[in-house]
C-alpha cells in the first residue's frame, strides 16, 4: 500500500447530508455548544467530551494533547490534570490556551481560545472525590510527563500509595486540580458540500459577544 492509499478521498456530497441542519446564526455561544454536545452524546461512539488542549512552552513552541471536558457553564470550560505535567506547567506559564472539539460523526468542530484560571479548591475536591478510587491513587502515583524507567516502576508506586491510603478516603494531591478556560473567542464550524463550510465566530466584548460569519 502506498502512502497516498492511506489518505481517504474527499467526501461524496451526492446526498448533500448537511443541507437540512437547523440554522445557527441566531444562537448564543454557550447554548449552541450545549446543544452540539447533546447531539455528540447521541452520535459519537466514544468520548463525546474529548477535546484537544493546545498550549505553548516557555520558548513559544506549541504543544497539543487530548483531554476530557468535565464541566462547562458561562464561566468557561473545565478539565483536571497534574499541574506539574507538561500541559500544567505550560498553562501556568502562559495563562492562555486553545481548545478544539471535533465531532467526526456530526461533521462539526468548535474552536475556543481564551485565558486560563484555576478552579476553586472546593470544585477540585468535589470532582476528585467523584473519581474511581484507582484513578485517585493513580493521581498520586504518576509523576506525569516525567521520564519513566519501566512499567514496573509505575505499578510499584501505585501499590505503595494503595498501601499508604489503605481503605480510607484518598485526599486530592496538592499538585492536582482543575483549569478553567475562559473563552474570548468561540468558533462553530459545520461541514458543507464541496468545502463551502459554515463558520460562525463569537468574540467577547465588554458588552457580551460580537458575532460574525467567516469565509470557509
Amino acid at each position: 500500500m502506498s502512502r497516498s492509499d492511506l489518505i481517504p478521498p474527499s467526501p461524496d456530497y451526492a446526498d448533500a447530508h448537511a443541507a437540512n441542519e437547523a440554522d445557527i446564526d441566531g444562537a448564543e455561544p454557550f447554548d449552541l455548544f450545549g446543544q452540539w454536545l447533546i447531539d455528540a452524546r447521541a452520535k459519537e461512539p466514544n468520548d463525546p467530551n474529548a477535546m484537544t488542549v493546545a498550549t505553548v512552552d516557555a520558548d513559544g513552541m506549541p504543544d497539543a494533547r487530548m483531554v476530557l471536558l468535565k464541566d462547562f457553564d458561562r464561566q468557561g470550560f473545565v478539565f483536571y490534570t497534574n499541574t506539574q505535567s507538561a500541559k500544567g506547567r505550560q498553562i501556568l506559564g502562559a495563562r492562555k490556551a486553545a481548545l478544539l472539539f471535533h465531532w467526526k460523526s456530526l461533521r462539526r468542530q468548535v474552536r475556543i481560545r481564551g485565558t486560563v484560571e484555576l478552579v476553586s479548591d472546593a470544585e477540585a475536591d468535589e470532582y476528585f472525590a467523584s473519581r474511581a478510587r484507582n484513578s485517585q491513587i493513580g493521581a498520586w502515583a504518576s509523576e506525569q510527563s516525567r521520564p519513566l524507567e519501566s512499567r514496573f516502576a509505575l505499578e510499584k508506586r501505585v501499590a505503595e500509595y494503595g498501601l499508604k491510603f489503605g481503605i480510607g478516603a484518598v485526599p486530592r494531591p496538592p499538585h492536582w486540580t482543575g483549569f478553567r478556560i475562559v473563552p474570548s473567542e468561540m468558533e462553530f464550524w459545520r461541514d458543507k458540500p464541496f468545502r463551502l463550510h459554515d463558520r460562525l465566530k463569537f468574540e467577547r466584548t465588554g458588552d457580551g459577544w460580537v458575532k460574525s460569519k467567516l469565509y470557509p
Side-chain angles (χ1 to χ4, degrees):
M1 179 180 292
S2 68
R3 283 176 294 178
S4 60
D5 291 332
L6 297 175
I7 307 299
S10 297
D12 181 357
Y13 287 107
D15 58 354
H17 68 275
N20 296 317
E21 287 200 49
D23 178 67
I24 62 174
D25 290 358
E28 183 276 340
F30 291 107
D31 289 343
L32 181 56
F33 179 86
Q35 183 56 59
W36 279 22
L37 187 57
I38 290 171
D39 295 343
R41 289 186 62 179
K43 295 289 187 179
E44 289 294 324
N46 295 301
D47 298 329
N49 58 326
M51 61 183 184
T52 301
V53 177
T55 55
V56 294
D57 65 16
D59 296 322
M61 181 65 72
D63 208 347
R65 74 289 290 164
M66 299 298 294
V67 304
L68 296 178
L69 175 72
K70 289 301 179 181
D71 192 18
F72 88 94
D73 55 22
R74 280 171 167 74
Q75 295 181 67
F77 300 81
V78 175
F79 73 95
Y80 292 85
T81 191
N82 185 326
T83 59
Q84 298 172 357
S85 66
K87 64 179 172 294
R89 296 194 307 271
Q90 291 166 9
I91 286 173
L92 290 174
R95 293 286 180 159
K96 297 177 182 178
L99 306 177
L100 172 63
F101 294 85
H102 176 220
W103 294 304
K104 182 178 178 62
S105 299
L106 294 172
R107 299 180 183 268
R108 294 175 181 172
Q109 297 182 72
V110 179
R111 300 170 59 201
I112 297 165
R113 298 202 300 169
T115 57
V116 183
E117 62 186 29
L118 294 170
V119 304
S120 68
D121 287 343
E123 288 176 275
D125 288 341
E126 181 180 8
Y127 175 69
F128 189 80
S130 74
R131 302 182 87 205
R133 183 179 182 83
N134 287 344
S135 295
Q136 293 174 336
I137 291 173
W140 282 94
S142 175
E143 297 184 319
Q144 192 173 354
S145 300
R146 290 164 174 77
L148 173 65
E149 60 268 30
S150 68
R151 183 74 185 180
F152 174 75
L154 174 60
E155 293 171 349
K156 180 181 178 182
R157 287 177 61 86
V158 170
E160 289 170 349
Y161 278 104
L163 289 173
K164 176 180 179 178
F165 294 117
I167 60 173
V170 180
R172 177 174 62 89
H175 55 263
W176 192 98
T177 190
F179 288 117
R180 176 178 289 107
I181 289 78
V182 181
S184 55
E185 298 178 8
M186 297 175 64
E187 182 191 322
F188 294 81
W189 179 99
R190 189 167 59 178
D191 182 80
K192 287 292 186 180
F194 311 112
R195 301 291 189 263
L196 301 178
H197 310 305
D198 272 347
R199 294 179 65 185
L200 182 62
K201 183 177 182 178
F202 295 85
E203 295 182 87
R204 190 189 294 272
T205 68
D207 298 323
W209 293 93
V210 173
K211 181 168 50 179
S212 60
K213 300 282 282 185
L214 301 179
Y215 275 96

